[in-house]
Amino acid sequence: MKTYFDAISKIEYEGPKSENPLAFRHYDKDKLVMGKRLEEHLRFAVCYWHNFCWEGKDIFGLGTGTMNRPWHQPGDEMEMARMKMDAAFDFMAKLGAPYWCWHDYDIAPEGATIKESRNNFAAMLDVAEQKMAETGVKLLWGTANAFSNPRYMCGAATNPNPEVFAYAASQVQNAMAATHRLGGANYVLWGGREGYQNLMNTDLKRESEQLGRFLQMVVEYKHAIGFKGTILLEPKPQEPTKHQYDYDSATVFGFLQRFGLEKEIKVNIEVNHATLAGHSFHHEIATAASLGILGSVDANRGDYQNGWDTDQFPNSVDEMILPCYEIIKAGGFTTGGFNFDTKLRRESIDPDDMFHGHIGAMDTLALAYTKAADLYESGELQKVIENRYSGWNSELGEKILSGGINLKDLSQWAVDNDIDPKPQSGKQEYLENLVNRFIHK
Amino acid sequence: MKTYFDAISKIEYEGPKSENPLAFRHYDKDKLVMGKRLEEHLRFAVCYWHNFCWEGKDIFGLGTGTMNRPWHQPGDEMEMARMKMDAAFDFMAKLGAPYWCWHDYDIAPEGATIKESRNNFAAMLDVAEQKMAETGVKLLWGTANAFSNPRYMCGAATNPNPEVFAYAASQVQNAMAATHRLGGANYVLWGGREGYQNLMNTDLKRESEQLGRFLQMVVEYKHAIGFKGTILLEPKPQEPTKHQYDYDSATVFGFLQRFGLEKEIKVNIEVNHATLAGHSFHHEIATAASLGILGSVDANRGDYQNGWDTDQFPNSVDEMILPCYEIIKAGGFTTGGFNFDTKLRRESIDPDDMFHGHIGAMDTLALAYTKAADLYESGELQKVIENRYSGWNSELGEKILSGGINLKDLSQWAVDNDIDPKPQSGKQEYLENLVNRFIHK
Amino acid sequence: MKTYFDAISKIEYEGPKSENPLAFRHYDKDKLVMGKRLEEHLRFAVCYWHNFCWEGKDIFGLGTGTMNRPWHQPGDEMEMARMKMDAAFDFMAKLGAPYWCWHDYDIAPEGATIKESRNNFAAMLDVAEQKMAETGVKLLWGTANAFSNPRYMCGAATNPNPEVFAYAASQVQNAMAATHRLGGANYVLWGGREGYQNLMNTDLKRESEQLGRFLQMVVEYKHAIGFKGTILLEPKPQEPTKHQYDYDSATVFGFLQRFGLEKEIKVNIEVNHATLAGHSFHHEIATAASLGILGSVDANRGDYQNGWDTDQFPNSVDEMILPCYEIIKAGGFTTGGFNFDTKLRRESIDPDDMFHGHIGAMDTLALAYTKAADLYESGELQKVIENRYSGWNSELGEKILSGGINLKDLSQWAVDNDIDPKPQSGKQEYLENLVNRFIHK
Amino acid sequence: MKTYFDAISKIEYEGPKSENPLAFRHYDKDKLVMGKRLEEHLRFAVCYWHNFCWEGKDIFGLGTGTMNRPWHQPGDEMEMARMKMDAAFDFMAKLGAPYWCWHDYDIAPEGATIKESRNNFAAMLDVAEQKMAETGVKLLWGTANAFSNPRYMCGAATNPNPEVFAYAASQVQNAMAATHRLGGANYVLWGGREGYQNLMNTDLKRESEQLGRFLQMVVEYKHAIGFKGTILLEPKPQEPTKHQYDYDSATVFGFLQRFGLEKEIKVNIEVNHATLAGHSFHHEIATAASLGILGSVDANRGDYQNGWDTDQFPNSVDEMILPCYEIIKAGGFTTGGFNFDTKLRRESIDPDDMFHGHIGAMDTLALAYTKAADLYESGELQKVIENRYSGWNSELGEKILSGGINLKDLSQWAVDNDIDPKPQSGKQEYLENLVNRFIHK
Ligand SMILES: [Co+2]
Ligand SMILES: [Co+2]
Ligand SMILES: [Co+2]
Ligand SMILES: [Co+2]
Ligand SMILES: [Co+2]
Ligand SMILES: [Co+2]
Ligand SMILES: [Co+2]
Ligand SMILES: [Co+2]
């Protein structure tokens, strides 16, 4: 079958000395790291939306996109959807990422009615199922697009109109069932427009209760159908709306607790959403891990000088090594993985550009993860932490944490003993050098 | 008694036509708003630290400060502390703010040992108690400074050393007892250095558990001594540390839930901390109110172009009216109030500058609150919200929220009815004009 | 003639007590301020692009827009362009803004070839000319859209391909001629994509020389055709590209000097672009005025929590009074004016929303300008500045500035006289209260 | 001689396999890169201020610092200054950085009068001169601290009081003479408080003229005394003041042109100041190089989540390689070099921490520079750029740039030829991978 990517062959691992831009230099999928193949650690996934649906439009170029893919031309929508899927699976098979991810309306055109939309989707699911079988590409997660259609302009589950809630419910139920059918490892909910544009017209409390109920319904449905994957929420602080309720991992954790869902739902952390929230990606990963809700990762990057979601391909081992270390320390991915929610620059319009983006990203993460594993296995960082907090293993430390002493008595103890604990160096620069030693061996 | 502010007389309300810079133009404390005196609504408090302790040093001018107050000269520390307190109460009495706020080491110099510090503090509490009786100035809240001394450089409750936790406990216990003795309406904890400088040397989970235990001890102590005020946490996202655990109201709420404290502790929201966290002040107030944890306010402002805590005096009715509206909607302050955690510009070195800052802030808030009350009483905004969400009072809406329908059935209902809900205008611009109508009558 | 805005009547001035949302409360166009009618001071202009061309799409909703205007339906493009223009002039006439502004492709659809585009444009210019005559609406400025078509994805004048430069030249020449024909008061160039996405593929020096040459050609052409309006550059720091060359007013001034254009070109300052550049709008206005390049203003506002160009309607007198003061101090607008480069929120989809946005903006600026004029006429701020710098009128001050003393001699003089100048209060809080006195009289 | 750093020996290069934290792993000063020794390329300098003067105070810890150096104890100030200088030269000699940098009041305490300050400074210059001779450490640049003393709170050259200008002139003249005497390679001016806190009390135009005159006096004096080094301005956008006049390189260039100084003064670019200005460091270097004003570098780093000048040690090869590439492309440093204007974290209080910070920074830059040289010598990036712009070597391109065609004729040519230039991919992802290939060989 001829596809858009015909000129490009399967991407092979050629090792660090290779100068072939269409080969992996670091992602050797069969390499054993901590006793497991890299492919199984990293669980890379290609996203359908940015790669195959986005036409290269932006807010200052809404008319004609730059990407000019053959399936973005006028014509029968279902035919175009099939041409797109041919190209997509050709791309994924050649790239060698083991997973893919989609929104319902990425793979099938939205119809004029719910039923037509469902029929389109069902037809494309058949195609997808067959393609997955042929190529061996698996589903990391599915999700529903409940933000693009104007009906969702004021939110989906948080919409002032309960019929919009119901419309979103119908999409999410259908997309969950499809994810289950395709053997998806997770199901994701990204808020999209679950947030506010202004507080004057917004009932915050009511909207949060709507959203809480929606999530409970999703979890109940998961159990009802026997879906064993993880339900994931993807935090994002703002954009498209002024403020979004799933601001960051800590906010999501508070929300989940409020609705009794903190054991049922985890987070899908996106690098660029972390930075938009004023956090390092490292922070978001470490926070989620410390709260027991680390699920999966959208592995992209933002631009530190631009205040919107640029969704660029990750390209810095320096930035990725410590988040990878944190993931390893937390036990590695279970159902989650690294999904590339990444977008070519609008000017990168050649077919090979999509390969360059993914190859660079996969090499970067393979390198970062391998070096992080090396750092982890050395135990050097962990030892610093253990020493640093070792005082908490003392009688005093344990008494405090176990509730064995109250404020008044502890205060009195401090006075009676006239304590004067001395500051100890935090050794940040030493630790930065230590990490760099593992990066540049 | 001669003080630093001798040249200035009591500040009187002279009305909006006054051109006297040392008079109130809008803060008429006895004016009835919604049946209550403005003074009782606003509950203004003067902070001790920025006003009387700060010498006008900044990070590029650490040697000599610009403020050059008489009590910042070399000399006996306790004598200076008394001179400072004379000036402070003279200032507060002349200004006519009904409350004050302090850190333990604001009012009494830290000594060489815990005991010496406690003795100094006890001596100054006697002075303070007498001054309060003489002037009628009441205590809005007390707090402990567990961040300036080098022993706290890596945190207080979250320190790697449990002795530092104990040291902080001794200060907090003592400051709580003092607050109770002085009839304080609240007790505040601001994280200070409860956060991290880097994640390499930090055990996030352990530190959060330390902090959780500390807060539980504080709440237990409150009940043990019969303190009826509110315990408040003050969120701040960063500065002095890279990241602080009490990032914002939503994060604090999640934290409180985790340790079973969400009914015991509320938030003290600072305007500038909201903006540093990437939120509008309005957002923080509305969020805290919607979660039932709105306690008190540090009424200052930041600079939208500067990324640090400038703690300027509030001067914009436009910025304050909607937060005031939100406070009124939530029932107004109970134990909380508007504390001016505000700092003169480092170049504002005259004695009268401290009056200008506070007069402007009090006038701004008096005007904003009065106009917000007017807006609230008109019911115009509330009506827009009620109409907007009225669909949720329908059978469908109530069934969804009450758990009377599951995802599958709701989805089926949407399909069967082929629903196609239409978007309704959010009317943001109309609402902005509505608010402006109340500002510029 | 029936148009989209039929249900709405002409907007009248009804005074501050009016509660009619479709009336002006402060913009009394005939009110005399400093001896001139408000309309002549403010020179309000309605922009064509956001109001009439934008369909309500955003980056998360690229398919169907929310605005659903009748002229955004499928059909003959020129017919739609005429329907749009009918509605636009109906809107402008009802609103009573004296000016409009356009890009070439706002008013006429781009064709398949340059010639077709020119023909479309010429046809619509005829319509526009007639509409202007009928309604009395005048042209504040025209400009060319050299950023939406994919050919401009890597810049127009700064494109790596000189044919793209030539294409842009053809559009700009044609749009300048059209502006001249319609009696435009200015011609604007906004960089659009004149910037870079990354420095790896960019020759900064070469691109700046291309842009310099382009601007010189524009200025030469202006003189050749006898256009008496002002050429304006609109600074913007980033978006759509990572970095844009016309970053801010100071950067533009340096650029203009480098190409000998600082007497020929002024700036069109947009509020939201100022804030994206990390400046207050006040700063940009004051900087441009101090450099003699203050031309015109795109009067919108950004969102301090969102890092992209939200282009909201201005709604804060507090934010606008000092920029207006600065404009008045600089002598007021000559050819420039306040253009509303403003965009409805994507959720504000009713026909009356476009009126609410503009009415609020015009009232806000009318109030801010009137109060600023009052402040200016009082001389109070100016007097503070004159006193503050009065030392520079001394012999020492004049000798320094006139070059009458060199570094060595001045140094020696300081040593010999053992000078020790004392700091003087900057009185910021006093001045903030002074300005507030003029806002809330 | 016993010093604070006695326990630490000379830092040696041990190669990338070394696990000794007190050794260089990449900075092999004698390694030849592009035919020149690394030491001569990089020209590392240690700064006096952060390393030896800062006591570990911050704005939330103004009382006692954390650093607790022996020379920060009470005692005779000149004796302390000598003890500090002993330690400083011991540190620099052990580290092996070939240069140092200072402010006047870093090395000698400010006295009660100008004369006393000058005497202190002169005495310490004698010590410094001897230490330099003994250790071989050379002076990269000197500068004057005209921002810490309260007299400078409203600026130095831009102060409203010309006597403050004169005071600053006396310091700068003296520091320039000292720099000349010690064989300094450059003289730096950092604005400090040359900016504004608010525009209400500021005469922007006047202040810029004061600053312009000051710089002219500096340049005239340089020539008068025969100083052959470069005069450098260090841009910084804000902090300590709200806005600083030397905002960024483009702003400084415009300012220099305005006062005829663009051939006389270059910029000293600080990484963290670039990021505070909303730019990448790469941008600032490339911009300055393209304008011919690239002078020297303060090689530190900021924190992308913190909005103030954290001045951390550079630790990312990923971030430094392209700026190094740009420096190499511009011909490398002449008088400039990499000065570490870097500050230990306030918690890094051990003597060895100062070594860890510098070793990591020097290794990072050595690695980045070496890899950048490799990339440069490969010609791969340069070739991409040459191809990309090759159209400008055509007849059309040259005619446009040389002024050989005017706007009208170029427009006509485009129409006549019905040109339709096609977009070409910008290949960003390909180029990112190319750079990464040079980082991870
Ligand atoms: Co994502
Ligand atoms: Co994203
Ligand atoms: Co506060
Ligand atoms: Co603050
Ligand atoms: Co604009
Ligand atoms: Co804009
Ligand atoms: Co510096
Ligand atoms: Co710095």
Side-chain angles (χ1 to χ4, degrees), chain A residues 49-50 190 234 236 239 270-273 276 298 300-301 308-312 341-342, chain C residues 60:
Chain A
W49 51 98
H50 287 322
W190 171 57
E234 180 169 334
K236 188 174 185 187
E239 196 200 13
E270 179 175 318
V271 182
N272 203 157
H273 298 179
L276 286 171
D298 275 10
N300 58 18
R301 81 175 201 272
W308 61 93
D309 201 17
T310 65
D311 285 340
Q312 292 174 260
D341 183 3
T342 44
Chain C
F60 294 89

Side-chain angles (χ1 to χ4, degrees), chain A residues 19 73 91 129 187 199 214 231 247 279 320 326 346 363 380 408 424-426:
Chain A
E19 299 193 355
Q73 310 310 319
F91 174 82
E129 195 166 39
Y187 184 82
L199 285 164
F214 194 87
I231 304 293
Y247 199 83
H279 303 308
M320 285 297 180
E326 217 65 64
R346 189 176 177 268
D363 269 350
E380 295 197 41
K408 183 141 196 282
Q424 301 294 321
S425 173

Side-chain angles (χ1 to χ4, degrees), chain B residues 51-284:
Chain B
N51 287 306
F52 306 108
C53 306
W54 182 54
E55 300 175 37
K57 293 181 183 174
D58 69 7
I59 202 70
F60 293 91
L62 287 167
T64 310
T66 56
M67 291 297 167
N68 203 28
R69 310 296 188 204
W71 54 87
H72 289 150
Q73 311 309 321
D76 177 76
E77 285 191 303
M78 285 299 287
E79 195 179 312
M80 290 295 150
R82 280 185 291 266
M83 190 198 299
K84 181 164 69 168
M85 196 168 273
D86 287 346
F89 275 86
D90 186 30
F91 173 82
M92 295 189 277
K94 283 174 172 163
L95 181 67
Y99 292 95
W100 69 315
C101 296
W102 45 253
H103 297 82
D104 48 359
Y105 295 150
D106 294 343
I107 60 178
E110 186 169 1
T113 63
I114 297 190
K115 282 171 194 160
E116 193 181 316
S117 297
R118 292 199 156 208
N119 290 339
N120 290 349
F121 187 57
M124 290 308 300
L125 278 184
D126 292 344
V127 182
E129 195 166 41
Q130 190 188 332
K131 293 272 179 195
M132 288 171 69
E134 282 167 21
T135 57
V137 173
K138 290 165 288 176
L139 180 61
L140 189 64
W141 45 263
T143 189
N145 177 333
F147 50 87
S148 290
N149 190 293
R151 77 172 57 87
Y152 293 122
M153 75 180 189
C154 297
T158 63
N159 201 284
N161 182 351
E163 291 205 9
V164 178
F165 182 110
Y167 204 107
S170 79
Q171 275 186 254
V172 168
Q173 176 274 325
N174 202 31
M176 285 178 75
T179 300
H180 189 35
R181 167 179 162 193
L182 297 186
N186 308 270
Y187 184 82
V188 166
L189 296 121
W190 171 58
R193 301 188 199 264
E194 310 291 26
Y196 62 78
Q197 286 291 41
N198 67 81
L199 285 165
M200 292 175 293
N201 71 11
T202 303
D203 184 333
L204 268 190
K205 189 156 186 295
R206 181 187 282 278
E207 293 203 358
S208 65
E209 286 161 1
Q210 293 172 204
L211 184 56
R213 182 64 202 127
F214 194 87
L215 297 182
Q216 289 166 340
M217 288 166 81
V218 162
V219 167
E220 291 155 11
Y221 182 64
K222 166 193 152 157
H223 293 303
I225 62 173
F227 177 59
K228 299 298 176 209
T230 310
I231 304 293
L232 299 169
L233 275 193
E234 179 169 335
K236 188 175 184 187
Q238 69 267 141
E239 197 200 14
T241 69
K242 178 199 169 36
H243 177 89
Q244 281 160 219
Y245 300 134
D246 301 334
Y247 200 83
D248 58 12
S249 295
T251 301
V252 166
F253 180 72
F255 189 88
L256 293 176
Q257 283 183 105
R258 191 172 154 211
F259 294 97
L261 295 167
E262 75 272 23
K263 307 281 187 219
E264 293 282 358
I265 296 182
K266 291 184 157 47
V267 286
N268 182 49
I269 295 176
E270 178 175 320
V271 181
N272 202 157
H273 297 179
T275 51
L276 286 172
H279 303 309
S280 67
F281 174 48
H282 190 186
H283 169 84
E284 280 292 275

Side-chain angles (χ1 to χ4, degrees), chain A residues 301-322:
Chain A
R301 81 175 201 272
D303 182 306
Y304 289 116
Q305 280 79 45
N306 292 163
W308 61 93
D309 201 17
T310 65
D311 285 340
Q312 292 174 260
F313 288 88
N315 72 343
S316 169
V317 170
D318 292 359
E319 296 201 340
M320 285 297 180
I321 185 171
L322 287 171

Side-chain angles (χ1 to χ4, degrees), chain D residues 165-412:
Chain D
F165 182 110
Y167 204 107
S170 79
Q171 275 186 254
V172 170
Q173 176 274 324
N174 201 30
M176 286 178 74
T179 300
H180 189 34
R181 168 180 160 192
L182 298 185
N186 308 271
Y187 185 82
V188 166
L189 297 121
W190 171 56
R193 301 188 199 266
E194 310 291 26
Y196 63 78
Q197 286 291 42
N198 68 81
L199 284 165
M200 291 175 295
N201 71 11
T202 302
D203 184 334
L204 269 190
K205 190 158 186 294
R206 181 187 281 279
E207 293 203 359
S208 65
E209 286 161 1
Q210 293 172 205
L211 184 57
R213 182 64 202 128
F214 193 87
L215 296 182
Q216 289 167 340
M217 288 166 80
V218 162
V219 166
E220 291 157 12
Y221 181 65
K222 167 195 153 157
H223 293 303
I225 63 173
F227 177 59
K228 299 298 175 210
T230 310
I231 304 293
L232 299 169
L233 275 193
E234 180 169 334
K236 188 173 184 187
Q238 68 268 142
E239 198 200 11
T241 68
K242 177 196 169 38
H243 176 91
Q244 282 160 217
Y245 299 134
D246 301 334
Y247 199 83
D248 59 12
S249 294
T251 300
V252 165
F253 181 72
F255 189 88
L256 293 176
Q257 284 182 104
R258 189 171 154 212
F259 294 97
L261 294 167
E262 74 272 23
K263 306 282 187 220
E264 293 282 358
I265 295 182
K266 292 184 159 44
V267 285
N268 182 49
I269 295 175
E270 178 175 318
V271 181
N272 202 157
H273 298 179
T275 49
L276 286 172
H279 303 309
S280 67
F281 174 48
H282 190 187
H283 169 83
E284 279 292 276
I285 293 288
T287 297
S290 82
L291 296 168
I293 57 167
L294 176 58
S296 197
V297 169
D298 274 10
N300 58 18
R301 81 174 201 273
D303 182 306
Y304 290 116
Q305 280 79 46
N306 292 163
W308 61 93
D309 202 17
T310 64
D311 286 340
Q312 292 174 259
F313 288 88
N315 71 343
S316 170
V317 170
D318 292 359
E319 295 202 340
M320 284 298 179
I321 186 173
L322 287 171
C324 285
Y325 177 86
E326 217 65 63
I327 291 168
I328 291 167
K329 206 174 64 172
F333 289 125
T334 53
T335 61
F338 284 116
N339 165 50
F340 296 112
D341 182 3
T342 44
K343 200 173 173 171
L344 286 169
R345 292 310 79 208
R346 189 176 176 268
E347 302 78 25
S348 298
I349 58 178
D350 295 341
D352 64 350
D353 289 328
M354 209 186 287
F355 283 92
H356 295 308
H358 284 84
I359 289 169
M362 289 162 81
D363 269 350
T364 295
L365 279 165
L367 210 47
Y369 201 91
T370 308
K371 289 168 185 293
D374 195 7
L375 175 60
Y376 180 77
E377 290 190 308
S378 78
E380 295 197 42
L381 259 186
Q382 193 51 34
K383 199 175 59 192
V384 169
I385 289 200
E386 277 161 21
N387 289 341
R388 194 167 185 239
Y389 294 88
S390 58
W392 284 94
N393 302 327
S394 70
E395 196 191 319
L396 174 67
E398 304 212 333
K399 197 154 65 171
I400 290 170
L401 283 183
S402 66
I405 188 164
N406 66 28
L407 193 73
K408 183 143 197 283
D409 292 345
L410 185 58
S411 171
Q412 196 58 49

